[in-house]
Amino acid sequence: MTHRATIDFLLHDWLHADALCDRERHTDHSRETFDAVLDLSEKLANEQFAPLNRLIDIHEPEFDGVAVKLPAETPVALKAFGEAGLVGASKDVELGGMQLPTVVEIASMSFFYKASVGLAAYPMLTRGNANTIVAHGTPTQIETFAKPGLEGRTFGTMCLSEPQAGSSLSDINTRAVPDVNGDGSGTDWAQDPLGQRYRLKGNKMWISGGEHEMGRYRLKGNKMWISGGEHEMGENIVHLVLAKIPGEDGKPVPGVKGISLFIVPRKLVKADGSISDQRNDVALAGLNHKLGYRGTVNTLLNFGEGKFPVNGQPGAVGYLIGKQGEGLKCMFTLMNEARIGVGLGATMLGYAGYEASLNYAKERPQGRHMGAGGKDHSAPQIPIIEHTDVKRMLLMQKAVVEGGLALGLLCSQLVDDELTGSSEQGENARLLLELLTPIAKSWPSEWAQEANSQAIQILGGYGYTRDFPVEQYWRDNRLNMIHEGTHGIQGLDLLGRKVVMNGGKALSVLAERISQTIQKAGHVPGLAEHGTALAQALQKVGATTKAAWSTGVPEEALANATPYLQAFGHTVLAWIWLELALAAKAAQAEGEWDQRPEGPGFLQGKLAAADYFFAYELPKIDAWLGVVSRRDLTCAKAQADWF
Amino acid sequence: MTHRATIDFLLHDWLHADALCDRERHTDHSRETFDAVLDLSEKLANEQFAPLNRLIDIHEPEFDGVAVKLPAETPVALKAFGEAGLVGASKDVELGGMQLPTVVEIASMSFFYKASVGLAAYPMLTRGNANTIVAHGTPTQIETFAKPGLEGRTFGTMCLSEPQAGSSLSDINTRAVPDVNGDGSGTDWAQDPLGQRYRLKGNKMWISGGEHEMGRYRLKGNKMWISGGEHEMGENIVHLVLAKIPGEDGKPVPGVKGISLFIVPRKLVKADGSISDQRNDVALAGLNHKLGYRGTVNTLLNFGEGKFPVNGQPGAVGYLIGKQGEGLKCMFTLMNEARIGVGLGATMLGYAGYEASLNYAKERPQGRHMGAGGKDHSAPQIPIIEHTDVKRMLLMQKAVVEGGLALGLLCSQLVDDELTGSSEQGENARLLLELLTPIAKSWPSEWAQEANSQAIQILGGYGYTRDFPVEQYWRDNRLNMIHEGTHGIQGLDLLGRKVVMNGGKALSVLAERISQTIQKAGHVPGLAEHGTALAQALQKVGATTKAAWSTGVPEEALANATPYLQAFGHTVLAWIWLELALAAKAAQAEGEWDQRPEGPGFLQGKLAAADYFFAYELPKIDAWLGVVSRRDLTCAKAQADWF
């Protein structure tokens, strides 16, 4: 299949990722080291992950009252991933990483998502968890809680939602209180090296030298939808937990400003950083039995209910990370990474379905060509890939999954630019990444899901059976429009925040990038028309953004934030496809792909997918933008008793 | 909920179904008898079907090597349905029916589809099977094979597909040969009263008085995807099987012209019509394990492999029904009925999801209104139905499922008009029904599936768990774009056959009906604009139809038959919503609905759904029609090695 070839095309013909090796952080790298990582990843994914994908669907996690039971194969596969050094591949050498560019790390990850998203979610979460600790933790916290995760020895989670608070994080009830007394041990918590020992400016709970000086908190509350929340794999699970610290009046600060972030290990960690055998007061309250994505255990966790008392007292021991009240800001380090990860996971589920349906379409005989005199029923049947409607369904999938993969890699390269690019590159990359994150998350979630549906359709009745993998991809993928911020939340984020922040600066940066692409396309036969179509789309998106906000009333501007998100996403993908078409044309001129086993059809396929996107997909934006630009209030005005 | 109220609105405020009671066939009926049937249906569906819907999903059919095991509750529920006289409700009194109008029969059916489509599929198939025998069988065949089905004593199937021939029926391999010798019994088959004993014109196998005169055939072949194909319920299963009779050269006639239709009972039936204990040579080869729709057992059947020899010989005993070589034509009696049934089943799965997500949205607190100064976090959370984006997802579902239900009832009333209307009514109804059948099948299959996805989205993480019913509706619904002719087949049927047949007569009849609606709307405040939009849509569909066929080359005209199907469907639904809006406005003027428990919001909801459809859905047709009208060949020209 062409997954690896497409990765090469995207990394080298399009993103010119080799150039990253000129940057000081990556001087030890080269195309050869990138290839080695990708070779290893593809092999590991094919050998260790893919064979388990149906198994982990059939044998979903079970709780026997004592422990969560996963298939015995699951920890073996994850251990192989960790031991290959892939969790922390992009991290500093001092942290055990190899300072691989993020874009290559994520390209590597695409093989694992495709092979088994239910397995890949564990290292994805662990990596994001560790990155968050690296970004906001103390040196001791990084050494103690991040490094083992990056080494594949421990696992990480993100604990945000609660049963009564999903999308509305300001309503979380989990409380964190200073662990100052009642522990019975006489330990001086201020000396706990895992907490923060420096004075925090403006942090009222922190009175240096006073009796409230402390290093740790006790947490109580329930956390819902926690992926990887409980299992016996690895040496420990490091939970990152949002909770509220009561203010001086004993009440939590309302809204998101009252939220802080805590490290809460499943097993207590000693002062020297070693993991004890003692459970922290974090108990499994139940497993969620899902439609798909079953390989990733999903849990309801009770923090501090007293099932595993610490020093005789209920309350889960936790360590503040980052500043008090800035928990959500810190968590967004993880959340933004996870959103791009969710989008890429969705894309790669789409990719898996694309490959399966492509294989089927090439092999399944059915029907005949229509000749001048009708069909010749005495002729043998043709493979269904020769039927135009099947090719339409394949091109749709190709356009979505290769476009989605390109988007994921682009965002990953922006992470690199933010980290190691020039200051102007870095600032532009930061803005673009903020703007594109809701698209990177939502667009593949919606359209790779639809791609999976087309894969089922190509297989027909067979696709509807569990004898073929496509139905599972479709089920697995349905989660992606929900977790890490629903589709609706992404739309509000985009239209309510991202396109208007800094006076619309991020949108300007994007428009500038798109205009450059259009300009290039203007000189290329076969692509100039697409450039014109993209210019019109960009103009419409800009005008619609203005029209939506023209009254300045959020309820009107945001009444159609989801259709706006859809139109914006299709416009971004049209840009990406024009970029890829330009890269394909350039590669055709160079002729280097003719030598590869994929042959010249490989680049023609990229151009056909671009043609498909401009002919069949981009025109859809008008219907979506229409309601946004006229601030249609049909939905806003509907009343509950009308339904 | 408003399902029953909506049925009343559709039947009486819109379709004026009472008027059917003026027709001779229905003179024993009245609004009261209709209400009684609907009351009974709703009660039976709620009490006998709905409680089993998750059960039959969890406990899917199993084959222990001897018999297919279904949950013990399944036959109980189906027996209750049969004993209520609902299978044959619309049939002649002489056949045990009550001569109920089809539109009321199908309205009754909607409750069962909504409660459990996996159960409702059995009587749906049995009814269609019996109707086909009534339409094409001999009086003895009707008495023997149709009547017990209509009485709920036996079950029926339709056996078309084979493992190597799904959408391509011309490639079926099942053979039917005259059962003239080798049976060892000395019976004179010519006297078998269950076969055809009259001379068939042009039927070469039928030589009256000669040694080949016969009443029955032996069938050999494999049939795939047979719903209800094997189980122990009822007294018998009556298979309707497509097979080819070899010609004089011993070879089957190629193409669909060689196909004939046969009645093949699971247990042999004696000459007196009584069911014997002897199995016919029809054996279960395997069960299909499906993504959803699991309550309906789906099978691979081997006909005539010799597992249950009859008179010592392999070969399933079958009786020709209709004329030789006209099997597909006869089967279309069943298939057209089944296509409308599939569409309504899809709609009612959507309806079930709509109700579930509506309930949830009214009860689930989450988030707050945006006030002038932002959100007041000290205020309690609001039910999510107050969020505009949730209302958008509910209105989408409402527009799809109520529109789909209206479409299903409209088609059913066309069946009534064909049967009992004036000759002009009948002819127009026949044409309209032929034209609308691909829409009635495909549109709900696509959009009620999407509605189910929106239902999951409203429930968020909870919707993704198996603790709530919406994920099952979504899984169940995915079958509907596949069986009874895939989406692609429906598109080819519509653009390749239906809109061009009789010189475009059917399309003219539809255009005339739509124009009448537009004219009416022109005088109604609030609806005139919709009328203008619909007129434009109709004009575009007409122009696109011409443009598609302007070169006269089928490969070009049909290269985008699926997008055409989508645009055509949305235009038909816009017409239906304008009709319903007119009916709602008229009902508002009459004021009768104010007295009902649903209150005035009920009619306002219909108008809001119409507004939604015109604002958010109808504009989508431009993107679909664009590729059709310019005969875009991007897909047609793509080559296998480009993927």
Side-chain angles (χ1 to χ4, degrees):
Chain A
M1 302 307 261
T2 64
H3 176 181
R4 174 58 194 279
T6 294
I7 289 276
D8 287 350
F9 171 74
L10 295 175
L11 284 183
H12 302 297
D13 289 278
W14 180 46
L15 295 173
H16 306 292
D18 303 26
L20 292 169
C21 304
D22 297 339
R23 296 184 187 169
E24 195 182 336
R25 182 175 177 81
H26 307 303
T27 44
D28 284 351
H29 284 285
S30 63
R31 167 117 191 208
E32 284 65 40
T33 64
F34 295 174
D35 281 348
V37 169
L38 295 174
D39 288 346
L40 170 73
S41 301
E42 187 171 18
K43 185 174 150 69
L44 260 184
N46 286 344
E47 293 177 2
Q48 300 276 353
F49 276 45
L52 307 187
N53 197 45
R54 179 59 82 172
L55 175 86
I56 61 173
D57 180 62
I58 294 172
H59 300 288
E60 69 181 332
E62 286 176 19
F63 182 54
D64 62 8
V66 178
V68 170
K69 301 285 179 198
L70 301 175
E73 292 86 345
T74 295
V76 177
L78 296 179
K79 200 169 179 198
F81 185 97
E83 287 178 351
L86 291 173
V87 185
S90 67
K91 292 288 116 23
D92 294 358
V93 169
E94 296 77 60
L95 283 170
M98 43 178 137
Q99 297 188 186
L100 195 68
T102 306
V103 67
V104 182
E105 181 178 70
I106 297 304
S108 139
M109 201 67 194
S110 74
F111 294 101
F112 296 96
Y113 284 133
K114 190 185 74 176
S116 181
V117 78
L119 290 175
Y122 292 99
M124 185 270 269
L125 282 167
T126 301
R127 178 190 290 158
N129 173 293
N131 289 349
T132 305
I133 297 171
V134 169
H136 305 287
T138 66
T140 305
Q141 288 173 338
I142 293 170
E143 185 68 23
T144 311
F145 297 112
K147 204 173 172 190
L150 295 170
E151 291 169 350
R153 296 194 287 116
T154 60
F155 288 82
T157 74
M158 52 195 295
C159 303
L160 293 81
S161 298
E162 300 180 3
Q164 83 295 344
S167 296
S168 177
L169 287 173
S170 61
D171 291 295
I172 61 168
N173 283 334
T174 299
R175 298 284 177 266
V177 298
D179 190 20
V180 281
N181 49 35
D183 62 79
S185 71
T187 306
D188 178 0
W189 295 116
Q191 301 309 313
D192 187 328
L194 302 179
Q196 296 183 6
R197 283 175 297 162
Y198 45 86
R199 175 192 272 269
L200 282 174
K201 200 174 171 186
N203 180 334
K204 289 179 191 162
M205 294 309 297
W206 197 266
I207 304 160
S208 182
E211 63 176 346
H212 289 287
E213 184 170 280
M214 76 208 64
R216 71 192 210 187
Y217 291 78
R218 292 290 191 112
L219 279 75
K220 291 186 184 178
N222 311 309
K223 290 291 178 181
M224 187 59 161
W225 312 121
I226 310 310
S227 286
E230 173 63 11
H231 53 71
E232 307 284 324
M233 299 188 293
E235 298 171 17
N236 208 354
I237 301 175
V238 176
H239 302 291
L240 281 177
V241 185
L242 292 182
K244 291 187 172 183
I245 301 172
E248 287 183 338
D249 60 357
K251 290 180 185 167
V253 180
V256 295
K257 292 197 178 70
I259 300 175
S260 301
L261 183 61
F262 297 86
I263 296 170
V264 182
R266 177 178 183 262
K267 286 183 181 170
L268 291 173
V269 176
K270 296 178 194 164
D272 65 0
S274 65
I275 299 163
S276 76
D277 284 333
Q278 193 191 340
R279 287 285 296 263
N280 195 356
D281 196 7
V282 183
L284 182 72
L287 298 182
N288 291 309
H289 297 98
K290 292 175 289 182
L291 165 58
Y293 226 117
R294 293 183 187 170
T296 309
V297 63
N298 189 274
T299 61
L300 171 60
L301 296 179
N302 286 348
F303 287 82
E305 66 169 2
K307 183 162 180 186
F308 302 107
V310 178
N311 296 335
Q313 295 291 331
V317 167
Y319 305 97
L320 180 68
I321 174 167
K323 292 185 186 170
Q324 181 179 338
E326 295 192 356
L328 209 55
K329 189 180 146 195
C330 297
M331 194 60 129
F332 259 99
T333 301
L334 205 173
M335 208 132 59
N336 282 331
E337 187 175 327
R339 283 178 177 179
I340 292 169
V342 163
L344 192 64
T347 291
M348 298 318 299
L349 280 166
Y351 217 114
Y354 170 56
E355 289 185 348
S357 63
L358 178 58
N359 278 337
Y360 184 87
K362 285 179 174 173
E363 287 166 14
R364 167 75 175 177
Q366 181 105 275
R368 288 170 187 79
H369 287 299
M370 180 77 76
K375 292 177 186 170
D376 176 6
H377 291 289
S378 65
Q381 298 197 76
I382 58 176
I384 62 171
I385 198 171
E386 296 191 26
H387 293 299
T388 297
D389 201 51
V390 173
K391 288 192 274 194
R392 181 185 60 80
M393 294 189 278
L394 287 170
L395 268 180
M396 182 273 181
Q397 292 179 70
K398 183 180 176 73
V400 167
V401 305
E402 294 185 358
L405 179 54
L407 176 63
L409 294 186
L410 173 70
C411 288
S412 304
Q413 201 179 41
L414 291 174
V415 173
D416 288 321
D417 283 347
E418 211 181 326
L419 189 65
T420 60
S422 68
S423 68
E424 193 197 335
Q425 265 181 330
E427 174 60 10
N428 280 348
R430 190 185 65 76
L431 286 167
L432 258 187
L433 193 56
E434 282 213 55
L435 181 65
L436 290 179
T437 296
I439 301 302
K441 194 273 179 183
S442 70
W443 194 86
S445 298
E446 179 167 2
W447 296 99
Q449 168 82 66
E450 179 58 27
N452 282 149
S453 183
Q454 299 294 313
I456 293 175
Q457 194 68 17
I458 288 175
L459 271 76
Y462 294 99
Y464 196 69
T465 70
R466 308 199 296 279
D467 298 333
F468 289 82
V470 288
E471 63 86 24
Q472 185 187 342
Y473 302 144
W474 186 70
R475 282 188 290 112
D476 287 356
N477 221 343
R478 187 59 189 81
L479 180 58
N480 291 315
M481 280 205 288
I482 298 171
H483 64 168
E484 307 305 339
T486 64
H487 230 49
I489 293 292
Q490 303 301 324
L492 294 174
D493 182 43
L494 180 68
L495 182 53
R497 195 174 304 127
K498 299 299 177 62
V499 296
V500 291
M501 67 185 185
N502 300 52
K505 182 75 193 301
L507 190 53
S508 299
V509 173
L510 176 65
E512 176 56 28
R513 293 276 298 257
I514 293 178
S515 298
Q516 287 167 7
T517 308
I518 293 167
Q519 206 170 1
K520 277 187 229 163
H523 308 295
V524 181
L527 301 185
E529 264 185 51
H530 294 341
T532 306
L534 180 57
Q536 286 167 355
L538 180 63
Q539 187 275 329
K540 285 176 196 168
V541 167
T544 301
T545 309
K546 283 203 184 76
W549 282 107
S550 61
T551 58
V553 181
E555 289 90 335
E556 294 182 9
L558 301 175
N560 296 291
T562 302
Y564 179 83
L565 179 78
Q566 292 175 297
F568 200 102
H570 259 49
T571 304
V572 167
L573 266 289
W575 167 51
I576 284 180
W577 270 113
L578 189 53
E579 282 270 307
L580 300 186
L582 282 164
K585 287 272 188 186
Q588 275 182 334
E590 285 169 17
E592 63 185 89
W593 279 88
D594 298 349
Q595 315 307 319
R596 292 195 46 153
E598 291 79 18
F602 178 79
L603 295 174
Q604 284 179 281
K606 304 299 179 226
L607 293 169
D611 288 345
Y612 169 85
F613 201 87
F614 276 89
Y616 290 77
E617 295 296 333
L618 186 59
K620 291 179 180 174
I621 67 169
D622 290 331
W624 292 318
L625 291 177
V627 289
V628 188
S629 62
R630 66 172 182 268
R631 299 179 301 286
D632 194 297
L633 298 181
T634 303
C635 301
K637 287 185 174 167
Q639 300 298 312
D641 71 341
W642 296 5
F643 290 100
Chain B
M1 302 305 260
T2 63
H3 177 182
R4 174 59 194 280
T6 294
I7 289 276
D8 287 351
F9 170 75
L10 295 174
L11 284 182
H12 303 295
D13 289 279
W14 180 45
L15 294 173
H16 307 291
D18 304 27
L20 293 169
C21 305
D22 297 338
R23 297 182 187 171
E24 195 182 336
R25 182 174 176 82
H26 307 302
T27 45
D28 285 351
H29 285 285
S30 63
R31 166 114 191 210
E32 284 65 39
T33 64
F34 294 174
D35 281 347
V37 169
L38 296 174
D39 288 345
L40 170 73
S41 300
E42 187 171 17
K43 186 174 149 70
L44 259 184
N46 285 344
E47 293 177 0
Q48 301 274 352
F49 275 47
L52 307 187
N53 198 46
R54 179 59 81 172
L55 176 86
I56 61 173
D57 180 62
I58 295 172
H59 300 287
E60 69 181 333
E62 286 176 18
F63 182 56
D64 62 8
V66 178
V68 170
K69 300 285 180 199
L70 301 176
E73 293 86 345
T74 295
V76 177
L78 296 178
K79 202 170 179 197
F81 185 98
E83 287 178 350
L86 291 174
V87 186
S90 67
K91 293 286 115 23
D92 294 358
V93 168
E94 296 79 59
L95 283 170
M98 43 176 136
Q99 298 188 182
L100 195 68
T102 305
V103 68
V104 182
E105 181 176 70
I106 297 303
S108 138
M109 200 68 193
S110 73
F111 294 102
F112 297 96
Y113 283 132
K114 190 185 74 177
S116 180
V117 77
L119 291 174
Y122 292 99
M124 185 271 268
L125 281 167
T126 301
R127 177 190 288 158
N129 173 293
N131 288 350
T132 304
I133 297 171
V134 169
H136 305 287
T138 67
T140 305
Q141 287 173 340
I142 294 169
E143 185 69 23
T144 310
F145 296 111
K147 204 173 172 189
L150 295 170
E151 290 168 353
R153 296 195 286 115
T154 60
F155 288 82
T157 73
M158 52 194 297
C159 303
L160 292 83
S161 297
E162 301 180 3
Q164 83 295 344
S167 295
S168 177
L169 287 173
S170 62
D171 291 295
I172 62 168
N173 283 333
T174 300
R175 299 285 176 265
V177 298
D179 189 20
V180 283
N181 49 34
D183 61 79
S185 70
T187 306
D188 179 0
W189 295 119
Q191 301 307 313
D192 188 326
L194 302 179
Q196 296 183 7
R197 282 174 297 162
Y198 46 85
R199 176 193 271 268
L200 282 176
K201 200 175 169 186
N203 181 335
K204 288 177 190 163
M205 295 307 300
W206 198 266
I207 305 159
S208 183
E211 63 175 346
H212 290 286
E213 183 168 280
M214 74 208 65
R216 71 191 209 187
Y217 291 76
R218 291 292 190 112
L219 279 75
K220 290 186 184 177
N222 310 308
K223 290 292 179 182
M224 187 60 163
W225 312 122
I226 310 310
S227 287
E230 173 62 12
H231 53 70
E232 307 283 327
M233 299 188 292
E235 299 170 18
N236 209 354
I237 301 175
V238 176
H239 302 292
L240 281 177
V241 185
L242 292 181
K244 292 186 170 185
I245 301 172
E248 287 181 338
D249 60 358
K251 291 181 185 166
V253 179
V256 296
K257 290 196 178 71
I259 300 174
S260 300
L261 183 62
F262 297 86
I263 296 170
V264 181
R266 176 178 183 263
K267 287 183 181 171
L268 292 172
V269 176
K270 297 177 192 163
D272 66 0
S274 65
I275 299 164
S276 77
D277 283 334
Q278 193 190 340
R279 287 284 295 263
N280 195 357
D281 195 8
V282 183
L284 180 71
L287 298 181
N288 291 310
H289 296 98
K290 292 176 290 183
L291 165 59
Y293 226 118
R294 294 183 186 170
T296 308
V297 62
N298 189 276
T299 61
L300 171 59
L301 296 179
N302 286 348
F303 287 82
E305 66 169 3
K307 182 162 182 188
F308 302 107
V310 178
N311 296 335
Q313 294 292 332
V317 167
Y319 306 97
L320 180 69
I321 174 167
K323 292 183 186 171
Q324 182 181 337
E326 295 191 355
L328 209 54
K329 189 180 146 193
C330 296
M331 195 59 129
F332 260 99
T333 301
L334 204 174
M335 208 131 58
N336 282 331
E337 188 175 326
R339 284 178 176 178
I340 293 168
V342 163
L344 192 64
T347 291
M348 298 318 298
L349 279 166
Y351 216 114
Y354 170 56
E355 289 185 349
S357 62
L358 178 58
N359 278 336
Y360 184 87
K362 285 180 175 173
E363 287 165 13
R364 166 74 174 177
Q366 181 106 276
R368 288 169 186 80
H369 287 299
M370 180 76 75
K375 291 178 186 171
D376 175 7
H377 291 290
S378 64
Q381 298 197 75
I382 57 176
I384 61 171
I385 198 171
E386 295 191 28
H387 293 298
T388 298
D389 201 51
V390 172
K391 288 192 274 193
R392 182 185 61 81
M393 295 189 277
L394 287 170
L395 268 180
M396 182 275 181
Q397 292 179 71
K398 183 179 175 74
V400 167
V401 305
E402 294 186 358
L405 179 55
L407 176 62
L409 295 185
L410 173 70
C411 289
S412 304
Q413 200 179 41
L414 291 174
V415 173
D416 287 322
D417 282 347
E418 211 181 329
L419 189 66
T420 60
S422 68
S423 68
E424 194 197 335
Q425 265 181 329
E427 174 60 8
N428 281 346
R430 189 185 64 75
L431 286 167
L432 258 186
L433 194 55
E434 283 213 55
L435 180 64
L436 289 179
T437 297
I439 301 301
K441 194 273 179 185
S442 70
W443 195 86
S445 297
E446 179 167 1
W447 297 99
Q449 168 82 66
E450 180 57 29
N452 282 149
S453 183
Q454 299 294 314
I456 292 175
Q457 195 67 19
I458 288 176
L459 272 76
Y462 295 99
Y464 196 69
T465 70
R466 306 200 298 278
D467 298 332
F468 289 80
V470 288
E471 63 86 25
Q472 186 188 344
Y473 302 144
W474 186 71
R475 282 188 289 113
D476 288 357
N477 220 343
R478 188 59 189 79
L479 180 59
N480 291 315
M481 279 205 288
I482 299 170
H483 64 168
E484 306 305 340
T486 64
H487 229 50
I489 293 292
Q490 302 301 323
L492 294 174
D493 182 44
L494 180 67
L495 183 53
R497 195 176 301 126
K498 299 298 176 62
V499 295
V500 291
M501 67 185 185
N502 301 49
K505 184 74 194 299
L507 189 53
S508 299
V509 172
L510 176 65
E512 176 58 28
R513 291 275 300 257
I514 293 179
S515 297
Q516 287 167 9
T517 308
I518 293 168
Q519 208 170 0
K520 276 187 230 164
H523 308 295
V524 181
L527 300 186
E529 263 184 50
H530 294 342
T532 305
L534 179 57
Q536 286 167 354
L538 180 63
Q539 188 275 328
K540 286 176 195 167
V541 167
T544 300
T545 310
K546 283 201 186 78
W549 281 107
S550 61
T551 59
V553 181
E555 289 89 336
E556 294 182 9
L558 301 176
N560 296 291
T562 301
Y564 180 84
L565 179 78
Q566 293 175 296
F568 200 103
H570 259 49
T571 303
V572 167
L573 266 288
W575 167 51
I576 282 181
W577 270 114
L578 189 54
E579 284 270 305
L580 300 186
L582 283 164
K585 287 272 187 184
Q588 275 182 333
E590 284 169 17
E592 62 185 88
W593 278 88
D594 298 347
Q595 314 307 318
R596 291 194 48 152
E598 291 78 17
F602 178 80
L603 294 174
Q604 284 178 281
K606 305 298 180 224
L607 294 169
D611 288 344
Y612 169 86
F613 201 88
F614 277 89
Y616 289 78
E617 296 295 334
L618 186 59
K620 292 180 179 173
I621 68 170
D622 290 332
W624 293 319
L625 291 177
V627 289
V628 188
S629 63
R630 66 171 181 268
R631 300 179 301 287
D632 193 296
L633 298 182
T634 303
C635 301
K637 288 184 173 169
Q639 300 298 311
D641 71 342
W642 296 5
F643 289 101

